[in-house]
Amino acid sequence: MRLTLSLLALLAAASATQAFAQSDTDTAGPFPVTGNVPALCSGGTVTGSGAFALGVLIDTGTGLLRTDLAAPPQIVAGAFCTTRSTISIAATPLSSVNNIAAPPGGFSRRVDYTATASGWTADAAAFSTGAADNPAATQVRATAFEGDITVAVSDFVTNGGDALRLVSDPEYEGSVTVTLAVDD
Amino acid sequence: MALIPAGAAAQSGDLTRDFGVTGSVPGACAIGAPRLAPGAQINFLGLNGSTLQIDQLVDPTTLSTSAASAEVQFPASCAFPHRVRLESQNNGLWQTSERGAQPPDGFGHAVPYRALVQWAAENLRLDADAKIRRIADGSVFVEAEASGDLLLRLEIDPGATNTSANAPLLAGVYGDTLRITLEPLQ
């Protein structure tokens, strides 16, 4: 039995060698290997309190809006977009929550301000609540990017004029919204 | 046989963050410096700082009180419903010097007057009748915020004294101190 097997093996080897004698190498394929990276924006944790708390808005001696209103900026850290993106900022004015009727003469119930989002694009996205339109509110970044966005509020003015006083209310509220979106 | 996944756009997403902006406005009231209302003075020299000076308190023919009136404006503002309070320290013009032990009969030694406050469509009247030297006050409530000029009008009638009408006045310097307070109702 053993002898027989050996003979077969030799024969097989010989024939195999003969088949390959016709070419040195051969290749199969190509087999495409594909994957996809979705176009998206994600990530971004807010460092800081997540809100702009301005405190008392008026100079209690004059009743007029303080000229030194400020709040620390908020940082959105580690946001990323995998492709070309736009950053947009929108804001609503600081308004008296409990006094919704039109205020009497000499008074206002609303404070306008400017909100900016910087660090994502060369020009910061900016939105002024008192402006008729805000062309700078949306900015485009042509490349994928990862970075920090700094959101800040500034330039507070009494709606209706500097000489107006603000109606009394412990709750004045506004909001700022920053959006990163894929630019298709 | 390659398998290509469906279009990449199906997985794109926006990243949105919202930030609140908050503040508060306390119910503050403020009164500014007084100034004389134009053209409304009779027998007053003027306003010196916060002192209103009467020109001639005594009529030289009767030696009794001369008529006098003046109007003073204060820019004021209250961002909350509030109360206006007018206080007279002496309840009339009383002698600030040369006070004798007992004023002689027939002489007046204090001058009554009327003080009127106009503010935010409300009127407040204080009659400082000079009967007794004491603090006299009055107040009125204003139900809304108000801003503008608070008007104070002072009127002294001719011959008005704390004893009898047209009684001669004792010599001396007469005065009173008025305080106007705007208090927010909180």
Side-chain angles (χ1 to χ4, degrees), chain A residues 34 36 38-44 50-57 61 74 79 94 104 107 113 165-170 172-181, chain B residues 2-9 11-31 76-80 144-148 186:
Chain A
T34 62
N36 77 304
L40 58 78
C41 295
S42 187
F52 299 97
L54 299 166
V56 173
L57 299 175
Q74 302 289 319
L94 201 53
F107 285 91
Y113 60 95
R165 289 177 172 82
L166 291 173
V167 294
S168 173
D169 191 347
Y172 269 72
E173 283 183 9
S175 69
V176 175
T177 302
V178 176
T179 306
L180 272 184
Chain B
L3 288 168
I4 299 172
Q11 294 192 43
S12 71
D14 292 352
L15 166 66
T16 302
R17 292 288 180 268
D18 292 311
F19 302 89
V21 186
T22 59
S24 67
V25 176
C29 291
I31 303 184
S77 160
C78 261
F80 203 79
E145 310 90 347
S147 176
Q186 272 188 317

